[in-house]
Amino acid sequence: MSRAKAGDIVIVDWRAGALPKEPNSLRPAVVVEDETLFAPDYPNVLVVPLTSDASIAMPSLSVTIDPTPENGCEQRCFALAPFVTSVSNRRVRVTASCIGRGQLADIRRRIADAIGVG
């Protein structure tokens, strides 16, 4: 299977090994890493989770993703930039869905803001 690339919407299996207050289900996420940052055989990928729950999406640090044919979303969702994480490629299932370049750039800016480098 091919490696996920920046902007891809993937399904992450966070069920195995989750601790309290951590994700513990199959969840959609957006790949945010720069493909040139790591070698192709690097075992992890950087993602931000997607949620449809607006109550946990801080407006200043989340990007709204409205449904389009390209992203395959069935309802409005939010990319949670402050929850950026590295996840094993073994937990990731690549899909045919992706977000736009502008949305990816916006998520990356909000990640920088969340960690204090923006």
Side-chain angles (χ1 to χ4, degrees), residues 1-76:
M1 174 159 287
S2 65
R3 181 173 171 89
K5 62 186 182 315
D8 285 352
I9 295 177
V10 297
I11 303 298
V12 180
D13 186 351
W14 271 298
R15 294 176 296 190
L19 299 172
K21 303 292 183 184
E22 290 182 329
N24 62 357
S25 60
L26 291 172
R27 304 285 311 155
V30 176
V31 176
V32 295
E33 78 176 39
D34 179 343
E35 301 87 60
T36 64
L37 187 60
F38 302 110
D41 60 345
Y42 189 72
N44 291 0
V45 63
L46 295 173
V47 300
V48 297
L50 293 174
T51 185
S52 59
D53 186 350
S55 70
I56 63 171
M58 298 183 326
S60 64
L61 295 176
S62 299
V63 174
T64 302
I65 310 291
D66 287 316
T68 68
E70 294 78 27
N71 67 31
C73 296
E74 296 177 0
Q75 60 185 330
R76 173 175 279 178

Side-chain angles (χ1 to χ4, degrees), residues 58 60-61 81-84 108-118:
M58 298 183 326
S60 64
L61 295 176
F83 299 149
V84 63
R108 287 173 169 170
R109 277 190 299 274
R110 291 173 196 235
I111 290 169
D113 289 344
I115 62 172
V117 296

